[in-house]
Each structure stands twice: as structure tokens, then as C-alpha cells.
Amino acid sequence: MALKRRILCSASLVALTSLAAPAAAQTDPVTSQETQDTLDQQTQDDIVVTGVRASLIEGLQNKRDATQIIESVVAEDVGKLPDNNVVEALQRVTGIQVTNRTGGEASAISIRGLSDITTTWNGRNIFTASGRQFALADIPANLVRRIDVYKTRAAEQIETGIAGQVDVFTRRPLDFDGFAFSASARGIYNEQADTFNPNVSALLSNRWSTGAGDIGVLVNVSYAKTKYRDQSVTAGAMVPFATATAPPAGWTPLERIQPTDGRAPGQQLWIPGLQPGLPTAPGSTLAINGANVPYYLSRDAVFMSDLYGERERPAVNAALQWAPNESSEYTFEFFWDGYRNTTFNNLFFTFVDWWGNLGPNPAGSFTLFPDTNIMKTRTVGAPFEFNSGDATKQRTDSFVYALSGKWSIGDRLKLAADAAYQKSEFNTEFLAMRTTRVANSVFVDFNQGGGITAFQFDNNVLLRDPAQWTVGELYDNANRNKGNAWTGTIDGDYDVGAFLKTISFGVRYDKRNASEASRAQDAPSLNRPFASLDPGFRFYNKPFFDGRSNVPRSWVVANGYYLFDHADDVRSLYRSTVDPGIQTSDALTLNENFNIDETTWAAYLQGDFELGPLRVQAGVRYVNVKTDMNFLDAISGAATGASATTDEFLPSATLRYDITDNLRLRFNYGKTLRRPNFVDLNPNLNLTGDLTNVGYGSGSGGNPDLAPTRATNYDAALEWYFENDSAIYATLFRREIDGLVVPFRSIEQVTGTGLNTTTFIINRPTNASEGVLKGAEIGLVYFPTLPGLLNGLGVQGSVTFLDSKQNIPIQDASGTVTGEVETPFFGVSDLSYNVTLAYDNGPVGARLSYVWRKEFLNNNEASLFANPIGIWRRPEKSLDLQLTAKVNRRLAVTLDAVNLTEELSQSYYAFGDAGGPDTHSFGTSVLGRTFALGLRYSFD
């Protein structure tokens, strides 16, 4: 029959779902005696609930019974976690914000605005390649039985992740009473790509009672393939221009004013990269040759991206369990998660900063935004433009092997041990060919309405004519990121009794390696007509941007798929024509940029106290981290090394006071760490030449002296479980964070790069900031008693208020710190909320969900231009629908729809009071809708 969960009113299922889990603080927690007592006392009140309501109730009970402040998402059935991946399944969790809704899905999360999250699988820390976190979007929802989000920390938990911890639990064979089978298949329609995509999974599990004890075997597989399309229109950065009627002496009308110029020797005409940018008030001036000269602000370019992608996610989870008796259990687990992604980005780019062909009336070639010196529209003659066929192949394989055991020794002592090995590798290849031309003219409206840029050429039809284009440069590079780790843990719980109920203790050893290797070769312009190449080089995109803006709908570009299929032929073409140094695949090798070994020892001691309705969990964790680093400079070939050591004692305490049986107060205090990302430790430079004639290039590099970021955390929560399946809860929290990493700018001279300049503005990460994040969150789960068909109707919702501030050093053109300014944290929305209308009655289950987050500072742009350096995202939202109709107890039909209202993703420049979405709009992306129809069969 179809799998059903028995939900006990006011009782937790933690005891059942953790039956097969290690009794380890750093893996699954040991089932508390309190939980078992509650189960025993309330068995007579149990009711049978399934589907949507059951999953919400079980998640609520997990929250109620946990010591820490957590949120829990539980699968409705085997293979039926809502949404397509772990990130999307978390978007309705209180305090969670999701973003990066590209490729037909959301791919990134933050907890209370912070993205530094410890990711664990069945309690074990996991990562992707050389990163600190696992790419949660790569975990198929079909494999997951439960996700716990820890917002507070205990001494027994891994010390990293100042935002919190996301623990993803997969299934084990002893979770089931005997034989279990489940299979699901869905076809997902991506509207933007106009494609149907498969998403399938299957689980097979069995357990046997033998003379040697209970034995269980489980295999769970999943495969998803998605063909998607992402489309965006973006306005370039702002730069100053001479006015049409009063240009500086020696300048022509509407000529672009560079930061330095030989016509004004020894003068800095304006400073690029100021936090608020240049003033935008009418009549604002620059000092040039002793005169205060007015200027206009406009964009240097506009560009469009039409990206076609194909993504595959295969995954396998397997488990073997043996419970020889009631006091011991052994589990071997294997997890493989794969990611395959091929993208072809049709990039269309045109400069709009040329002043050499303005026609007879320059003053009539533009308009200004009211009460500003910012151009809203302009006509530019003879603009230079290029297309780029950018092809990328990405592949990730992550493997985890784990063996664990747990033992009850006598009546008081429980021990658990876990040994795990994991390795993960990410490979990417990039191949791109440019084509160029000069058009007669282009008309641009930098905000035709709603912050969307529009532009049209004098003849858009010519964009599809290969005879109009000249073959330009070739770009050919690849990267490989690798990571592996050996991890061992031993944990114990000793039942003391009386006021001190339990003493917990444990040690953890982790040996981590991370490395990165890369190669790059570029060739200059082929300088021959595009029409002279094989027709296979040509790609014409489908009608672009869904009519959202008055932009060109189609153009010809170098076919990225053809480039990959004929890569060595393309390389040989450039080698024989313009660059004999270009190598073919038989001679291409990757050079290792960095190799880092990190050894961690950790130990903790923790006590659980109980005095009537007051319960206290307090402890301390000690961690020692030794990091050995080796780097190779790709420019000079020089090898360097560095080492660092971190020793920390991290105290934590949680107080829980049961005011009544249904009213619970919690308080948590704890300290956590954020270790530097491995790539941020690499001092080698990634450089870009002087693309816009400002007199210098740009670049970035790491800093081996980076120290951990430290956070002191305070949380206070009040939870009222006013019905068996309903609750309202509120939390106040504060994070005091020291050693925040911010980019520090410096001017450096670098030779031997082959670029068009030796002067670069370099940004390197530095522990130069501190900040505070504080806020409040309110959550609700409510299933009222309603008559007839309305029975089973409920609501889940939450709202999160955040306030963040950090000090950012202000630097002058030479990189000298001249002061500081206060800004919000990156990625933090002041307000976000979600609401879900849930329904579960008979064979029908449904969720209608809406998530919304306020605008937020996403990142700072390179310090090269005259606009505010902050790039803000406009409010993000999504309306999603999920339906399940049971044909019988084993078979169900599902229907899912994502982004029903066809929302856009938009951004703009701003810093403090400067900038804004109207005058400083940046990019607009179309987010595609998806619709999925599926079948699910389960037998237990």
C-alpha cells in the first residue's frame, strides 16, 4: 500500500526517523528519553495523517523537540520532497532567503541573510570540489527524506558556518519495516526554452531478521535533465562625457572624458570607483585645466545575453545496515552526486560611448532624466559592436563513503563512531569566438519603462547577415577544482541522572585537501569575413526577450556547439593564420595554481541539565586548524608557500524553559567561525586589460594572510504550540561579526602579461571590516478545524525582518585608506516573507506558495567607473503550485508549476542615497516558467 506516516499528536517522529542513525552529536542526535516518554504517554491520542499536512506536522514536531532553534522540511512520501532540489525545498522555511533563479530553478540560499552555511549529509560535513560548502541545488529532492536547518549551534556541532547548518538526511533501510519500493517520473516543461525534460527516481529497500540480527539494504537513484534558456539585457557602467554646448577646451561635444588625459597633463580629472560615483545633479562640474567644466553621465555600452543550457543531475544513495542486537548498529553509506552542464551563451555587445560621428546637431542626439545630468536616451553614430559565441562545459562528481557504528554500553553510556572519505572534482572548459562590426547608428533608451533598457540599430536586419561581421578573437581556457577529505569522529553520551542528566563528549579529526589548476590561451582577431567560414560556424538565435523590451530579436553569432565539436580545427585555423603559439588538445595541459592541506582537530564537552521546566545545554568546543599552502604564479612561474594556525575555544549554551506544556521559551548563546575560502587564499592574479581606455586594467587576487571570521550569536525564541498540528513562534537574534572580508584596492605594476597595459587596479580580500546583523522572524503553521471539503485546509507562513551594517574602508585612487563608510551586508534583504496555502483532504494534496524578498545589495562592482559601486537586486518573488492526486493507495499523479506570474530579475546601481532603479538601472533577466506532470508509485 502507499506509504503512510503515523503522526502522533504532540509527539515527535525523531525516534523513528533516527532509529538507524548514529548516536553521535556530529551525526544524528541520540533520541532523548523525554521524546520516548512523550510517545508512550500519548499513543492513545494518535491519528493517521498523510501527505502535505503530515510533512508540515512532522517538521513542526522536529522543531518542537529539538534543543536548538531549528526548522525542518520533511518529505510527504518516499521520493516526494516538494520542489526540484534542496534549495527550492527550503524557500518556504522561516528565515531562509533564496536567490539566483536561473536555469529554471533557484540555486542559492542564505539563512537570515548570511550565506556562510555548513552543509552536512546525514550529519557529515560535505563540500563540492575546492569549496567550503556543498552545492545544495545539486542534491535531487527525490533522494531526501528530511532537511534540518540549524539556526543556533551547540558545542557538539561542527564549528564552521556563521549563518547556520543545513543537514540533508537520506533514507536508510532500517527506516522501513520490511520491503519498500518507490518510483516516480515527471516531465517538466520549460517555457522559455520550449523543452520537455525528464526527472525520474527509484528506491528499493528491504530488511531481514536473521540469526545474526536485522540486516537492511537500500538503493536510491535519481536522474534529472533540464534544457533551459536564460535571457537578459544590461546597460553598461556610467562614465562622464563633455556637454554638447560647453565642452572643455580642446574636447569635442559629447566626447568621453577619461580619468587622465594628455590635454590636461598631471591632472586627475575624476576618480573612478568612488562609492557614490560622480555627482548627478544638473550642472555638476569637473576641474580641468583650472576651469570648472560641466559634464553629462551616460553608459559606455549595452549588451544582451541569450544563454541556452542543458543540465543533467544523476545521483545514487546506497546504504547497508546491520543491527546484531538492541544495543548496537552498523551502517555503511555511499553517496554519489553528479552535475553536467553545457551552456552556449550568445553575447551581443555594443559600445555607446563614441563621439566621433554625432551628426550636425549633437545637442539633439540625447535626452536627460529630469533634474539630473544623466542621459536617458541617446543616438550614437558608428558604434563598434561584437558578438561572442561562448561555449562552456562543466562537470562535477562528488563521492562520499562512510562507515558508522553506535553502541549502548550498559544502561548509561552510548558511544558512536563514524569514519568517512569524500572526494569531489569540478571541471570546466570554455571556448569562445568573437565577431565584430561597426553599424551606422544605434538609438538607446536606458530606461524605456520599469528599469528595462531598449535599443535599436538603423537596420536590425543586418545583424543576421554574416557578411556584415568580421571574425575576431579566440578565447580558450579550462579549470579543474578538486577536494578530498578523511574524517573521523567519536562521540559519547553518559546518562548521569539527577540535575545533570547527560554529559556528552567527542573528538573530530579532518584532513582536507583543496587544489585548483587552469590553462588559458587567447588568439588575436582572425580578421576575415565571417561569411567566409564554414556555415556550421553560424548560429541564429530564436526571437529574444519575449517582447519585454524594444531590443533586437535575433542575430548571428559563432556557434558554440560547433566550436566544441571542432575545437582542434578552430585552434588550427587561428594557429595557421594569426598565432603559431596556439596549441591543440594533444598539447594542452593544466597548471596547478594552488594546493592547500588543512588539518583540523576538534573536541567538545557538553552537559544537559534539567531542573523542573528549565533545561540547559551548555558546553565548549576546542578547534585547532593547521593550513599549509602552496601557490604557483601563472605569470612569472614563481612558486610560493605559506602556513597558518588557528586555535579557538568556542562556548555555547541553550536554555529552554517550558512555561506550559505548549508554550516554550528558548535562549541561545554561541560562537562560530567562518574559515577563509581556499580560492581567497591564492595570491596569484587574474588580470583583465584596459578594455575601456581608462589607462589601466583591473584584476583580483587572494590573500594567504586571511584569518577566520568570528561571530558571537544571540537568539531568543518563544514558541506556542496551540493545537496538535499548529503553532506560532517568534525569534529575536543578533550576530556580532569580526574580521569580515572586504576587497582592498591597490595599484600594482605587472609585466609579462601580454595585455595592453602594465598598470592594474587589484582587489584582494582582507579582514578589514566588522558588522552586526540583527532581526526578528515570525512563523506560523495552522490547520483549523473546518467542515466538509474545507477540512484539511491550512496555512504555513513566515516573515523575517533584518537589519545589518558593516564598516567599509574608503580608499583613494592610490589605495590609501582615507576613512570608512557604513553599508548593509551583501545579500541581506531587510524584509522577506512567504505564505503557503496547504490543503490535504482524501486523495487530494496541494500547496500554493508565494515567496517575496525586498531589494538587497548583491555585490560591489570593480572600481573603474563613475556610477555608484553597489549593485542592488530589485525585490524577488515567485508564485508556485504543487498538486497531488492519489489514484489509489500506491499510485499518485502530481502537477507542479513554478513562477506562475512570470517574474523578472532586475538590478541597479546604488550606494547610500546615490543611484536608484530609475536612473541607474543595470540588468533585467527573464525568469522562465516551468510546469511538471508526473506519476509516483510507492509500496511499503
Side-chain angles (χ1 to χ4, degrees):
M1 62 179 177
L3 177 66
K4 292 187 178 180
R5 289 184 179 80
R6 180 172 295 271
I7 304 300
L8 305 180
C9 299
S10 304
S12 172
L13 283 189
V14 172
L16 296 179
T17 55
S18 63
L19 175 65
Q26 295 171 32
T27 55
D28 276 345
V30 180
T31 303
S32 67
Q33 185 60 43
E34 169 208 355
T35 299
Q36 186 60 52
D37 291 344
T38 304
L39 286 168
D40 294 340
Q41 293 169 6
Q42 299 192 4
T43 299
Q44 66 272 19
D45 296 326
D46 67 335
I47 58 175
V48 175
V49 184
T50 61
V52 175
R53 186 173 183 179
S55 66
L56 292 176
I57 296 171
E58 186 175 343
L60 192 63
Q61 295 290 20
N62 290 338
K63 176 181 179 69
R64 181 175 187 173
D65 293 321
T67 301
Q68 304 300 315
I69 298 175
I70 75 165
E71 308 291 340
S72 189
V73 177
V74 180
E76 297 173 19
D77 205 337
V78 178
K80 187 59 176 76
L81 189 76
D83 309 290
N84 293 321
N85 63 48
V86 167
V87 169
E88 292 187 339
L90 291 172
Q91 64 184 329
R92 290 173 293 276
V93 169
T94 305
I96 293 286
Q97 298 171 324
V98 305
T99 190
N100 294 351
R101 296 180 181 272
T102 59
E105 64 180 17
S107 61
I109 69 167
S110 61
I111 301 176
R112 296 168 172 173
L114 299 176
S115 60
D116 179 54
I117 299 168
T118 295
T119 50
T120 53
W121 168 65
N122 294 333
R124 303 177 187 93
N125 186 210
I126 57 174
F127 51 82
T128 297
S130 59
R132 290 290 186 184
Q133 302 174 2
F134 196 87
L136 292 174
D138 291 347
I139 301 180
N142 300 332
L143 299 187
V144 178
R145 69 176 171 92
R146 190 177 90 230
I147 309 168
D148 286 346
V149 179
Y150 289 86
K151 300 177 182 178
T152 61
R153 314 303 284 282
E156 62 188 3
Q157 292 176 286
I158 300 170
E159 65 280 349
T160 56
I162 60 176
Q165 176 180 332
V166 174
D167 199 355
V168 178
F169 294 92
T170 51
R171 297 186 183 274
R172 292 167 170 167
L174 297 188
D175 292 343
F176 301 96
D177 294 331
F179 176 78
F181 172 76
S182 174
S184 65
R186 292 194 301 157
I188 303 176
Y189 175 69
N190 187 298
E191 189 175 43
Q192 288 297 323
D194 192 23
T195 59
F196 287 91
N197 306 283
N199 186 309
V200 295
S201 67
L203 177 145
L204 183 63
S205 178
N206 205 354
R207 64 182 292 174
W208 303 268
S209 294
T210 72
D214 286 351
I215 297 175
V217 178
L218 177 145
V219 177
N220 198 358
V221 298
S222 175
Y223 174 80
K225 182 177 181 179
T226 303
K227 292 184 178 181
Y228 57 92
R229 186 184 184 192
D230 293 332
Q231 303 166 77
S232 64
V233 175
T234 305
M238 280 186 171
V239 289
F241 292 80
T243 62
T245 56
W251 273 256
T252 63
L254 298 185
E255 181 177 349
R256 178 172 170 174
I257 301 175
Q258 305 292 352
T260 59
D261 194 292
R263 290 168 288 185
Q267 301 174 47
Q268 182 77 37
L269 305 188
W270 59 279
I271 299 176
L274 296 175
Q275 277 92 345
L278 292 182
T280 62
S284 295
T285 60
L286 299 174
I288 301 178
N289 291 328
N292 292 324
V293 181
Y295 63 89
Y296 295 138
L297 288 170
S298 190
R299 309 305 181 95
D300 63 346
V302 291
F303 52 96
M304 303 182 292
S305 170
D306 192 2
L307 184 144
Y308 296 80
E310 180 175 301
R311 178 179 60 242
E312 296 178 272
R313 287 196 174 109
V316 176
N317 176 61
L320 172 65
Q321 288 188 288
W322 174 40
N325 50 53
E326 293 182 354
S327 60
S328 60
E329 183 177 284
Y330 303 89
T331 302
F332 170 77
E333 292 183 281
F334 166 76
F335 179 52
W336 168 59
D337 186 84
Y339 172 77
R340 317 283 186 260
N341 192 36
T342 299
T343 61
F344 169 33
N345 182 26
N346 312 299
L347 177 64
F348 183 101
F349 189 104
T350 182
F351 287 97
V352 292
D353 61 347
W354 179 234
W355 60 91
N357 186 4
L358 296 175
N361 181 22
S365 66
F366 66 92
T367 63
L368 301 177
F369 285 101
D371 302 318
T372 74
N373 64 355
I374 304 171
M375 291 186 185
K376 180 183 185 298
T377 67
R378 71 175 304 186
T379 299
V380 178
F384 176 77
E385 62 198 86
F386 69 84
N387 293 341
S388 185
D390 299 347
T392 304
K393 287 185 178 179
Q394 299 172 313
R395 179 188 179 102
T396 303
D397 288 284
S398 300
F399 299 87
V400 185
Y401 309 84
L403 178 64
S404 62
K406 65 177 185 179
W407 307 270
S408 295
I409 303 174
D411 295 332
R412 292 181 178 270
L413 180 62
K414 294 182 179 180
L415 292 177
D418 188 273
Y421 172 72
Q422 60 179 307
K423 62 179 181 178
S424 178
E425 181 173 327
F426 172 72
N427 287 277
T428 181
E429 298 176 69
F430 176 82
L431 196 60
M433 176 187 282
R434 284 189 177 178
T435 53
T436 66
R437 77 167 193 144
V438 176
N440 289 327
S441 66
V442 63
F443 170 79
V444 188
D445 187 338
F446 296 108
N447 185 354
Q448 73 162 16
I452 303 177
T453 296
F455 65 97
Q456 290 288 326
F457 291 93
D458 60 299
N459 186 353
N460 284 346
V461 174
L462 297 180
L463 299 177
R464 291 177 55 88
D465 181 3
Q468 299 291 319
W469 299 88
T470 299
V471 181
E473 300 84 357
L474 178 74
Y475 299 90
D476 181 9
N477 57 65
N479 283 76
R480 180 184 68 234
N481 299 76
K482 297 170 64 176
N484 64 76
W486 289 93
T487 308
T489 62
I490 299 175
D491 299 271
D493 293 326
Y494 184 76
D495 185 5
V496 179
F499 172 64
L500 175 58
K501 293 193 65 178
T502 307
I503 294 177
S504 301
F505 54 90
V507 295
R508 181 177 185 267
Y509 168 81
D510 183 77
K511 179 69 172 179
R512 174 81 197 273
N513 174 265
S515 65
E516 178 186 279
S518 65
R519 64 163 180 84
Q521 59 174 3
D522 302 335
S525 174
L526 199 59
N527 200 27
R528 60 184 286 185
F530 190 32
S532 69
L533 298 185
D534 188 290
F537 277 93
R538 305 170 198 169
F539 182 89
Y540 302 88
N541 59 334
K542 298 178 181 179
F544 174 76
F545 217 57
D546 201 28
R548 299 289 188 116
S549 175
N550 186 28
V551 294
R553 301 294 305 279
S554 181
W555 55 91
V556 64
V557 68
N559 189 329
Y561 303 116
Y562 186 89
L563 295 180
F564 265 141
D565 291 341
H566 301 81
D568 277 344
D569 293 337
V570 175
R571 292 167 180 143
S572 297
L573 174 65
Y574 277 84
R575 182 172 63 183
S576 63
T577 307
V578 295
D579 191 345
I582 291 295
Q583 298 177 327
T584 52
S585 56
D586 57 337
L588 292 173
T589 59
L590 299 178
N591 298 311
E592 190 169 77
N593 302 322
F594 69 80
N595 192 302
I596 299 176
D597 288 312
E598 182 181 81
T599 303
T600 302
W601 283 97
Y604 71 90
L605 182 65
Q606 178 177 283
D608 285 86
F609 305 84
E610 181 175 345
L611 183 62
L614 176 65
R615 304 181 186 187
V616 179
Q617 183 183 85
V620 64
R621 186 178 186 89
Y622 168 74
V623 59
N624 172 272
V625 183
K626 178 71 172 5
T627 307
D628 295 310
M629 298 167 271
N630 295 286
F631 310 108
L632 181 66
D633 189 336
I635 299 174
S636 68
T640 58
S643 62
T645 300
T646 299
D647 283 283
E648 293 284 341
F649 284 93
L650 303 170
S652 62
T654 299
L655 283 69
R656 192 183 100 184
Y657 186 76
D658 295 344
I659 301 172
T660 68
D661 289 343
N662 297 321
L663 188 62
R664 182 160 294 172
L665 178 68
R666 303 179 201 255
F667 173 79
N668 177 270
Y669 161 83
K671 292 194 172 184
T672 51
L673 295 176
R674 172 199 292 167
R675 300 183 191 178
N677 291 321
F678 291 116
V679 69
D680 288 339
L681 298 172
N682 180 16
N684 297 324
L685 296 176
N686 182 18
L687 301 175
T688 301
D690 182 4
L691 299 180
T692 53
N693 299 315
V694 295
Y696 44 80
S698 61
S700 61
N703 178 4
D705 295 324
L706 278 180
T709 300
R710 296 166 172 85
T712 303
N713 313 310
Y714 305 91
D715 292 77
L718 184 63
E719 303 161 4
W720 180 30
Y721 300 89
F722 56 89
E723 296 286 351
N724 293 329
D725 53 7
S726 301
I728 186 170
Y729 46 91
T731 306
L732 299 175
F733 50 88
R734 180 182 177 90
R735 304 283 182 264
E736 298 174 355
I737 307 175
D738 295 320
L740 283 165
V741 176
V742 294
F744 241 58
R745 186 175 69 224
S746 62
I747 296 178
E748 300 183 22
Q749 300 296 320
V750 186
T751 60
T753 65
L755 299 173
N756 62 348
T757 181
T758 59
T759 303
F760 298 88
I761 290 184
I762 305 298
N763 283 288
R764 296 185 186 273
T766 307
N767 299 101
S769 177
E770 59 184 25
V772 173
L773 173 73
K774 58 185 178 180
E777 58 190 23
I778 303 171
L780 170 70
V781 177
Y782 181 42
F783 280 90
T785 301
L786 297 172
L789 291 177
L790 294 178
N791 186 39
L793 183 65
V795 64
Q796 175 193 30
S798 67
V799 58
T800 301
F801 305 92
L802 296 173
D803 179 39
S804 66
K805 60 181 180 181
Q806 67 178 111
N807 60 313
I808 302 292
I810 299 175
Q811 297 176 271
D812 61 18
S814 66
T816 302
V817 176
T818 60
E820 66 178 33
V821 67
E822 188 176 280
T823 71
F825 283 11
F826 295 123
V828 174
S829 293
D830 293 345
L831 173 66
S832 62
Y833 66 85
N834 64 80
V835 60
T836 298
L837 191 64
Y839 182 74
D840 203 330
N841 191 322
V844 178
R847 301 179 198 238
L848 181 64
S849 305
Y850 183 73
V851 296
W852 182 92
R853 64 179 300 186
K854 193 178 177 182
E855 67 269 10
F856 61 95
L857 175 61
N858 188 70
N859 63 283
N860 282 343
E861 192 174 59
S863 302
L864 299 174
F865 305 106
N867 46 262
I869 64 171
I871 296 180
W872 285 70
R873 296 272 189 94
R874 281 193 167 193
E876 298 183 343
K877 44 193 174 290
S878 183
L879 178 66
D880 306 331
L881 174 67
Q882 297 154 342
L883 293 172
T884 300
K886 295 180 181 178
V887 179
N888 53 48
R889 291 187 297 176
R890 296 181 180 178
L891 183 65
V893 179
T894 62
L895 174 65
D896 305 283
V898 177
N899 189 27
L900 284 168
T901 51
E902 297 186 274
E903 300 297 337
L904 300 174
S905 175
Q906 294 186 279
S907 55
Y908 59 91
Y909 291 116
F911 191 93
D913 294 330
D918 295 328
T919 56
H920 291 71
S921 60
F922 182 51
T924 298
S925 299
V926 177
L927 302 179
R929 292 190 298 184
T930 62
F931 303 89
L933 181 65
L935 292 175
R936 189 178 75 253
Y937 177 89
S938 58
F939 176 86
D940 176 30

